[in-house]
Amino acid sequence: MSGPAAGPAPGADTVTDAFSGTGPVAGPLAQAYGRWALTSVEVGAARRMVPSAPDPADWSDPKVGWGLVLPDAPGLDPDALARAEDAEPPLRRLLAARRGRVLRYRAGSGYADWTLRDLAGGGDLLTAASPAGSGPLELPMYLLIHGTPEQIPWQVQYALNPVRHVGRLDLTGEPLARYVDALLDGWSGSAVRYEAPVVWSVDLGEGPQDITTLMRDAVGAPLYALLAADPDMPAAVFVDGSATGADGAALGEALASARPALAVTTSHGLTGPVDDPVRLREGLGLPVGQDRTPVRPQDLLAGWQPDGAVWVARACCSAGSDSPSAYHGLFEPGSPVDRTLDGVAGSGAAVAPLPRALLGAERPARAFVGQVEPAFDWTMSFPPNRQRLTSQLVEAALYRGLCLGLPVGLAMAPYYEPVGSLLLQYARAAGVYGTSVREAARTALDLALYSKVTAYDRAATVILGDPTAALRLPGR
């Protein structure tokens, strides 16, 4: 005797409790109803009802975006400017490969000292508050400036650093082509070793008037401690000027033998002779070794190639010079610091020779991070209590950012975060100074000075090279 049917027979009407407005709704099962019956049950499956945030490391996402900032080019029509027809072929190849946005630097607009013109989008961008992305009138999060600091001033990069990830290339011809080729290829043939970072710290040990000890203690030594304790970096190298000869020969030997993916140097930067602008510019910002001899790029490149390394240099003018100096009038006229500032400014606004040599080398570096103008101890140590202030560079930006594979622009973002707060603090202190008397006025003035110098010092730590460049992590 057969039992009841297990379910409705194909072809038979299936009744529902739906009502069409004129009668109940019923109908036969599909002949291939088994396909639906055997599909996984999705009762209670998670469904996101809010938009997902873009990955800040994914510059190719239109919500993030990558753009090329070029000088304005009089004589070209807007369409030609928007297509970068005046740019060198390597830049046009990069732009096409990345489908990037072209922005034009223009000085002296009606409402600002400068603006970035979005010709394809049809207007100027108020940079700090512009929406992020690669659409019309949006300012991409990743920006590559191409041009000298005379064509596109350093101040543009300073202003953008706290709100975007910005790099600069001041290369032309074959050096530019080599860099762009390596960038587009992702440094695929690079032989650098993630496991063998190099830290080189000069320590002249000359007391409170010498900054090299502080740089070694606040940047070089703590960074090396983090790297050496990391199991992925068992071959980390520390050329420690407090214990050994941190000169140019020692740096060259360490680079050649370790082939580091990351090289970090702390030292004085060369800023002389101040009475010879040509020679000053030729040696501007070169790291000065323990033997007080500058380390010249041609000596390093004779036995080593950057080959996709990232170099971070904490030294005066390691990235370049500006003219006029942002610190003009801060120091007593005729003092050694004042004469040095005037001498460096007199040589003009420029990118320093070491990063130019590394980024344009036969096997180019990925990026260079350094400072325009002097490096001050106030960014590393707060004067009233000597609290160390380098964790945002050492730990957040370099160790937990760059060494985790973040693009160098994104990795450096924590270092720029305090700039806005420092400028607000400066404005507040300056206002208090204007309405205070005696001791309160002096305290407010000192705080205004500290805040302004420290904000400049951080904003003027710049990236040279494309801000999307990232270290390749082990196993990738």
Side-chain angles (χ1 to χ4, degrees):
M1 181 174 171
S2 61
D13 280 349
T14 298
V15 177
T16 73
D17 64 355
F19 188 79
S20 68
T22 59
V25 178
L29 295 177
Q31 292 297 316
Y33 70 90
R35 183 178 303 160
W36 182 91
L38 298 177
T39 301
S40 299
V41 176
E42 295 185 359
V43 175
R47 295 184 182 277
R48 301 191 64 162
M49 300 301 292
V50 295
S52 59
D55 178 359
D58 184 7
W59 55 264
S60 65
D61 187 328
K63 297 177 184 177
V64 179
W66 178 91
L68 181 64
V69 180
L70 297 173
D72 201 14
L76 291 182
D77 63 56
D79 289 340
L81 288 169
R83 293 191 297 267
E85 289 186 3
D86 57 316
E88 292 188 55
L91 289 177
R92 295 202 299 272
R93 285 194 289 110
L94 177 61
L95 194 62
R98 293 194 159 186
R99 299 175 183 172
R101 199 151 194 87
V102 177
L103 302 165
R104 295 285 179 166
Y105 164 78
R106 291 194 170 188
S109 71
Y111 49 81
D113 291 338
W114 58 271
T115 188
L116 298 182
R117 176 149 294 181
D118 179 6
L119 288 148
D124 293 340
L125 296 172
L126 294 168
T127 53
S130 295
S134 56
L137 294 180
E138 292 179 338
L139 185 64
M141 285 302 299
Y142 291 85
L143 296 169
L144 175 61
I145 297 171
H146 183 260
T148 70
E150 292 179 334
Q151 295 171 314
I152 302 178
W154 287 118
Q155 294 293 334
V156 174
Q157 200 160 351
Y158 301 168
L160 289 169
N161 274 340
V163 293
R164 293 297 187 269
H165 313 313
V166 191
R168 179 189 292 263
L169 273 180
D170 177 17
L171 299 174
T172 59
E174 284 302 313
L176 175 63
R178 287 194 292 266
Y179 184 86
V180 170
D181 286 344
L183 177 64
L184 289 175
D185 186 49
W187 281 270
S188 63
S190 172
V192 295
R193 300 167 63 216
Y194 180 89
E195 68 271 20
V198 167
V199 179
W200 179 84
S201 285
V202 172
D203 182 2
L204 297 178
E206 295 180 344
Q209 297 302 313
D210 178 58
I211 198 174
T212 60
T213 299
L214 175 60
M215 290 193 289
R216 182 263 177 205
D217 292 348
V219 177
L223 177 61
Y224 173 73
L226 289 170
L227 302 177
D230 192 310
D232 290 320
M233 301 180 184
V237 175
F238 189 22
V239 183
D240 182 4
S242 67
T244 188
D247 57 13
L251 176 58
E253 291 170 6
L255 294 172
S257 61
R259 303 195 314 276
L262 173 64
V264 178
T265 60
T266 70
S267 67
H268 284 303
L270 185 62
T271 54
V274 294
D275 57 351
D276 189 337
V278 174
R279 287 179 57 200
L280 189 153
R281 193 157 175 164
E282 288 174 350
L284 180 70
L286 294 181
V288 178
Q290 201 82 10
D291 57 357
R292 295 174 173 76
T293 299
V295 181
R296 301 198 177 275
Q298 59 266 35
D299 296 333
L300 294 176
L301 294 175
W304 163 81
Q305 284 287 310
D307 198 21
V310 174
W311 188 305
V312 180
R314 182 78 188 179
C316 180
C317 299
S318 58
S321 59
D322 203 3
S323 181
S325 169
Y327 304 105
H328 179 71
L330 175 59
F331 297 95
E332 192 67 27
S335 67
V337 177
D338 182 67
R339 285 190 288 108
T340 297
L341 288 173
D342 284 350
V344 171
S347 71
V351 173
L354 179 59
R356 282 176 56 86
L358 299 178
L359 295 168
E362 182 181 344
R363 298 200 300 276
R366 276 182 165 86
F368 183 98
V369 179
Q371 289 164 283
V372 181
E373 299 210 85
F376 287 95
D377 59 351
W378 291 353
T379 291
M380 295 181 283
S381 176
F382 187 51
N385 62 3
R386 298 299 175 189
Q387 179 187 10
R388 293 284 166 79
L389 303 174
T390 54
S391 65
Q392 286 159 327
L393 175 64
V394 171
E395 186 168 351
L398 300 184
Y399 183 63
R400 301 195 184 282
L402 196 61
C403 292
L404 283 181
L406 293 184
V408 61
L410 181 60
M412 283 298 295
Y415 189 69
Y416 301 124
E417 285 175 357
V419 170
S421 178
L422 286 164
L423 292 178
L424 286 174
Q425 185 172 276
Y426 160 75
R428 169 65 178 164
V432 170
Y433 172 71
T435 59
S436 298
V437 295
R438 297 182 182 175
E439 191 60 34
R442 178 56 186 269
T443 300
L445 180 61
D446 288 347
L447 182 57
L449 172 63
Y450 169 81
S451 303
K452 186 175 181 178
V453 168
T454 307
Y456 265 121
D457 193 71
R458 292 216 177 201
T461 300
V462 299
I463 297 167
L464 299 172
D466 190 87
T468 68
L471 296 181
R472 185 179 297 116
L473 300 182
R476 295 190 182 179

